[in-house]
Amino acid sequence: MTHTARRIGRSLALVLPVVLVLSGTLAVTMVPWADNSPSQVLTASAEDVSVPAKPRAAQDVLRDKLLSELQQGENPGVVLGHLQEQVNGRPSLAEHCMGIARALGRAAVEAYGPTKAQSYARPVCDTSYASGVASMG
């Protein structure tokens, strides 16, 4: 009798985990609230494709362009000159000039150190560049 019981126990030990895994998998895929239709899956993945990207504000584009020039080794005085030219050409940028100049001052300190960065100060956007240098120094 013990031999038969062992054989049944071994068979159950091998078969039972397989049965439990399969039945659990089937139970999860068959829940009534799951929508398994292919159109639902495609709709969910295609929803964001047709949404156009929001255009970036002119001041953000200009700031990133000038910071890039500075990071590529352009003289901070020259970059400040470019900022002044852009503000003169597009007066709508004037309200953002101080923030852009401060960002350039901070970036110049990171690139050149506070003393050398301060030597490039120009009277662009009041003293905002110098303020940016001072905030990092």
Side-chain angles (χ1 to χ4, degrees), residues 14-86:
L14 292 174
V15 174
L16 191 58
V18 173
V19 170
L20 290 174
V21 168
L22 289 176
S23 65
T25 305
L26 292 175
V28 170
T29 59
M30 301 301 282
V31 291
W33 60 84
D35 184 6
N36 293 329
S37 65
S39 64
Q40 181 66 25
V41 174
L42 291 175
T43 303
S45 64
E47 278 180 16
D48 295 336
V49 174
S50 63
V51 176
K54 292 182 181 179
R56 294 180 59 211
Q59 67 270 12
D60 295 337
V61 172
L62 176 60
R63 183 192 63 240
D64 292 350
K65 177 181 176 256
L66 295 174
L67 285 171
S68 176
E69 285 180 21
L70 192 64
Q71 291 166 350
Q72 291 175 3
E74 187 68 64
N75 175 324
V78 172
V79 175
L80 285 170
H82 293 162
L83 173 59
Q84 187 65 58
E85 290 170 7
Q86 291 295 317

Side-chain angles (χ1 to χ4, degrees), residues 3-17:
H3 183 63
T4 306
R6 268 193 201 158
R7 205 167 49 199
I8 292 172
R10 285 183 186 165
S11 297
L12 282 175
L14 292 174
V15 174
L16 191 58

Side-chain angles (χ1 to χ4, degrees), residues 13-14 25 38 44-45 104 122 125 133:
L14 292 174
T25 305
S45 64
L104 291 172
R122 304 284 183 274
C125 307
V133 170

